[in-house]
Amino acid sequence: MTRVMNVAMIGGGFMGKAHAMAYASMPMFFWPAPAIPHRKIVVDVTDAAAEAARERFGFEEASSDWRAVVERPDIDVVDICTPNNVHAEIAIAAAKAGKHIICEKPLARTIEEARAMAQAVREAGVIHMVAFNYRRTPAVALAKRYIEEGRVGRILNFRGTYLQDWSADPDGPLSWRFQKRIAGSGTTGDIATHVVDLAHYLVGPIAEVNSMVHTYVKTRPIQQGGVDKLGASEKSATAERGEVDVDDEVISMLRFENGAVGSLEASRNAWGRNNFITFEIHGTEGSIHFNYERRDELQVMFRNDPADARGFRTIYTGPAHPYGEGLWPIPALGIGYSETKIVECRDFFAAIAQNKLPSPNFEDGLRTEYVADALLRSGETGHWERVEGAAGTERQWTRAQA
């Protein structure tokens, strides 16, 4: 009989919506499921907010006291969907209570917090995952398969972008994402870390960076009410304004430990770009290109293609490709953001069932934080900066299992 596991979800906002939907849907897509996630209790900042999230997202109970919830013996999994400033406190408490943990990205605000979180889960022996869900897109996993099969040969370079425009308007509200004390950093932690995770997943560890970091909008209207509003909502040119003390854009050259080179660009101020996550990888035997806004497609070209067919061609992902057994029966029928969360949920519960760490886990999240720290340091110094944990420093970067 499939095991039922009680989930306590901390945070009932946008990410809570995505996670709750995945818990409800995962067994419908992947059956037999590795476990049945039971939406036991949702926690939010007030009793009223928690009760609203309970009713909306289908949880059995609601609470505003996460500390009491993570100590409950009937809770198996703690899901952290909060702003970044409480990730470490909740995760460390949940680990000490023996709970398996999935935490939204970035893992933490700082290297010190991420280290403490990684140490806590190691000592507790619990299963842990950081929710970089874009690597669960079937086309991305297919790119990984081609690379592991040697289809592109030795990787020469990687170019990755994550461009959005939701904060391009200076009259968008002062979300917590623009406040260092809560977010830790701006674009670097919020979206550039997704590019870093894809680079680590597909190419290998980043060893050194040389970046430029900019803040374009120095102040924003202070938002009213307790619900966080992203920059694209409820604009105001007349409200009192507060300081923005995080970065809007980061651009960097990259050096990988395996000798590959590359670049990274992330901005939340790119008019016309909605969720523009792309990568292009060139190797000695071929090339791969991916654009998340066309997420069912992978563009490939291999050196041994016939001369009269040279150039990129489109592969539409479907049943023959990664995760195809649980998604839709026809190629190009279409997947969305929600399916990447469903796949993430399946892989997390499969890891619990197998007592085997998934990837990306908290160690992977810590390594990503090392890169984010180097990006910000390089933005200040204007120099190439080594990534802590890279070969040649005091730590060694060991690739986690795929």
Side-chain angles (χ1 to χ4, degrees), residues 166-175 178 217 219-223 229-237 241 244:
W166 65 266
S167 69
D169 193 320
D171 291 329
L174 186 69
S175 164
F178 300 114
V217 181
T219 66
R220 289 185 178 275
I222 297 173
Q223 61 187 22
K229 301 178 178 67
L230 294 182
S233 62
E234 298 190 19
K235 299 178 182 62
S236 173
R241 301 178 77 90
V244 173

Side-chain angles (χ1 to χ4, degrees), residues 83-116:
N84 306 344
N85 60 318
V86 288
H87 284 190
E89 185 180 10
I90 297 172
I92 292 168
K96 290 179 177 178
K99 312 305 182 185
H100 305 301
I101 307 165
I102 181 168
C103 181
E104 264 302 325
K105 45 57 58 186
L107 184 62
R109 294 176 298 177
T110 65
I111 286 176
E112 290 73 24
E113 287 182 345
R115 281 184 184 139

Side-chain angles (χ1 to χ4, degrees), residues 91 101 103 107 117-118 121 128-130 360-366:
I101 307 165
C103 181
L107 184 62
M117 295 169 73
V121 293
H128 45 94
M129 176 185 273
V130 58
N361 53 55
F362 280 20
E363 294 291 344
D364 298 300
L366 173 58

Side-chain angles (χ1 to χ4, degrees), residues 109-173:
R109 294 176 298 177
T110 65
I111 286 176
E112 290 73 24
E113 287 182 345
R115 281 184 184 139
M117 295 169 73
Q119 180 177 349
V121 293
R122 281 196 302 268
E123 292 175 350
V126 297
I127 300 300
H128 45 94
M129 176 185 273
V130 58
F132 285 112
N133 58 297
Y134 292 123
R135 67 158 71 183
R136 258 73 194 189
T137 309
V140 175
L142 180 61
K144 171 75 166 175
R145 178 195 292 176
Y146 287 157
I147 290 167
E148 291 185 332
E149 291 173 350
R151 302 281 292 276
V152 301
R154 177 172 58 87
I155 293 177
L156 303 175
N157 63 62
F158 166 93
R159 181 169 66 253
T161 73
Y162 197 158
L163 308 179
Q164 298 177 327
D165 67 0
W166 65 266
S167 69
D169 193 320
D171 291 329

Side-chain angles (χ1 to χ4, degrees), residues 109-310:
R109 294 176 298 177
T110 65
I111 286 176
E112 290 73 24
E113 287 182 345
R115 281 184 184 139
M117 295 169 73
Q119 180 177 349
V121 293
R122 281 196 302 268
E123 292 175 350
V126 297
I127 300 300
H128 45 94
M129 176 185 273
V130 58
F132 285 112
N133 58 297
Y134 292 123
R135 67 158 71 183
R136 258 73 194 189
T137 309
V140 175
L142 180 61
K144 171 75 166 175
R145 178 195 292 176
Y146 287 157
I147 290 167
E148 291 185 332
E149 291 173 350
R151 302 281 292 276
V152 301
R154 177 172 58 87
I155 293 177
L156 303 175
N157 63 62
F158 166 93
R159 181 169 66 253
T161 73
Y162 197 158
L163 308 179
Q164 298 177 327
D165 67 0
W166 65 266
S167 69
D169 193 320
D171 291 329
L174 186 69
S175 164
W176 64 262
R177 291 170 175 82
F178 300 114
Q179 301 174 61
K180 185 175 182 179
R181 65 181 178 83
I182 302 176
S185 65
T187 292
T188 299
D190 188 24
I191 60 177
T193 51
H194 274 297
V195 181
V196 172
D197 181 68
L198 290 172
H200 282 172
Y201 176 58
L202 297 168
V203 181
I206 296 169
E208 200 170 8
V209 303
N210 189 338
S211 65
M212 295 186 293
V213 178
H214 295 288
T215 301
Y216 298 120
V217 181
K218 306 294 185 180
T219 66
R220 289 185 178 275
I222 297 173
Q223 61 187 22
Q224 303 300 312
V227 178
D228 183 69
K229 301 178 178 67
L230 294 182
S233 62
E234 298 190 19
K235 299 178 182 62
S236 173
T238 60
E240 180 183 356
R241 301 178 77 90
E243 180 187 5
V244 173
D245 56 359
V246 296
D247 51 292
D248 287 326
E249 179 163 334
V250 57
I251 302 174
S252 186
M253 294 184 290
L254 310 173
R255 289 179 179 143
F256 292 81
E257 287 189 15
N258 61 11
V261 297
S263 66
L264 173 155
E265 179 181 4
S267 176
R268 300 184 301 203
N269 290 62
W271 285 115
R273 294 302 186 189
N274 296 297
N275 206 49
F276 191 69
I277 309 169
T278 73
F279 62 78
E280 188 159 316
I281 295 172
H282 301 281
T284 55
E285 300 297 322
S287 298
I288 297 173
H289 172 74
F290 172 74
N291 173 3
Y292 179 79
E293 291 183 356
R294 303 182 67 88
R295 67 188 68 85
D296 295 302
E297 303 176 10
L298 187 67
Q299 305 287 325
V300 300
M301 190 276 173
F302 300 121
R303 179 183 175 185
N304 60 2
D305 289 343
D308 62 353
R310 294 178 70 83

